[in-house]
């Protein structure tokens, strides 16, 4: 869970670094707005040259395609499908309980391949946005089955926000800047709250 979060944080950092001048202007505008609600609203609407998450993902090319475009995309998608299929065949042939919940080994295997493919396609921001919901869902489910601590599935929704934002921006090309800021900040706050519930709250109240 922490590794998938760090991958996403690295992606957000890369997004900010690649648009450092625009984010500096945003910081100056926020400081100038102070507690003026009208000014703050204007700051959170105007983009100031900051690309949407979707635009940034589309413009990020960490590895140049090694094949013609459609073949390259097919090869990337095929790597993920082949990994999932390999685990499926293993379950069908050798597993004692083929219908059991996704295992940690399967989560790691599929997560690593998916993160690698997504990073090649659209950078770490896309990779973190895709992998976090999958990893959090699997581990929270395992936690429910094995421990007294029962974290809410709302945490999965919290870390799914970036992927939802990227998808929404495909349909709405230039939403208010606040949408992207929410997509960047909410997953991190979700993880902080989860860690607080897991580590700090039991020591304070149990």
């Amino acid at each position: 869970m922490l590794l998938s979060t760090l991958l996403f944080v690295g992606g957000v950092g890369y997004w900010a670094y690649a648009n450092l001048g625009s984010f500096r202007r945003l910081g100056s505008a926020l400081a100038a707005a102070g507690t003026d609600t009208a000014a703050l609203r204007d700051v959170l609407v105007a983009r100031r040259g900051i690309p949407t998450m979707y635009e940034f993902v589309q413009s990020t090319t960490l590895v140049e395609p090694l094949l013609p475009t459609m073949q390259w995309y097919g090869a990337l998608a095929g790597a993920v499908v082949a990994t999932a299929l390999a685990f499926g065949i293993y379950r069908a042939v050798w597993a004692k309980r083929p219908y059991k919940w996704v295992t940690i080994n399967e989560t790691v295997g599929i997560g690593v391949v998916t993160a690698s493919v997504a990073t090649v396609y659209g950078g770490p921001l896309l990779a973190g946005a895709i992998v976090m919901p999958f990893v959090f869902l699997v581990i929270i489910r395992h936690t429910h089955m094995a421990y007294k601590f029962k974290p809410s599935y709302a945490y999965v929704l919290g870390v799914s926000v970036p992927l939802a934002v990227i998808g929404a921006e495909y349909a709405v090309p230039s939403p208010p800047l606040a949408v992207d800021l929410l997509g960047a900040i909410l997953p991190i706050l979700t993880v902080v709250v989860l860690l607080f519930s897991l580590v700090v709250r039991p020591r304070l109240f149990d």
Side-chain angles (χ1 to χ4, degrees):
M1 293 172 77
L2 291 177
L3 286 175
S4 65
T5 303
L6 288 174
L7 178 63
F8 175 73
V9 170
V12 171
Y14 183 41
W15 177 48
Y17 178 76
N19 301 278
L20 191 56
S22 297
F23 274 97
R24 282 176 174 168
R25 289 193 293 273
L26 171 63
S28 299
L30 284 171
T35 57
D36 186 334
T37 55
L40 283 173
R41 184 172 59 251
D42 291 340
V43 169
L44 295 176
V45 170
R47 301 209 60 91
R48 290 179 172 76
I50 298 174
T52 65
M53 286 186 173
Y54 175 78
E55 290 170 341
F56 184 68
V57 165
Q58 288 295 100
S59 65
T60 300
T61 303
L62 299 184
V63 178
E64 292 296 330
L66 305 177
L67 298 167
T69 303
M70 296 309 297
Q71 293 180 27
W72 179 240
Y73 292 162
L76 294 178
V80 178
V81 171
T83 303
L85 185 60
F87 281 117
I89 292 172
Y90 175 83
R91 277 180 175 242
V93 176
W94 291 287
K96 295 179 180 179
R97 293 189 297 120
Y99 299 108
K100 65 183 177 180
W101 182 245
V102 181
T103 67
I104 297 300
N105 286 340
E106 290 168 343
T107 303
V108 172
I110 294 172
V112 168
V113 173
T114 302
S116 301
V117 167
T119 300
V120 168
Y121 176 80
L125 181 61
L126 178 64
I130 291 175
V131 171
M132 275 196 303
F134 170 64
V135 170
F136 274 65
L137 176 62
V138 172
I139 293 185
I140 287 176
R141 175 59 177 164
H142 274 286
T143 304
H144 278 229
M145 292 190 296
Y147 301 99
K148 293 181 179 180
F149 177 58
K150 307 292 184 185
S152 170
Y153 285 103
Y155 293 116
V156 179
L157 295 178
V159 298
S160 300
V161 171
L163 190 59
V165 167
I166 292 171
E169 288 174 346
Y170 173 78
V172 183
S174 186
L177 177 62
V179 173
D180 290 283
L181 296 180
L182 180 68
I185 295 171
L186 187 57
I188 298 170
L189 290 178
T190 298
V191 175
V192 170
V193 172
L194 176 58
L195 291 176
F196 178 86
S197 299
L198 176 63
V199 179
V200 179
R201 189 172 65 180
R203 296 183 181 181
L204 292 178
F205 302 108
D206 291 348

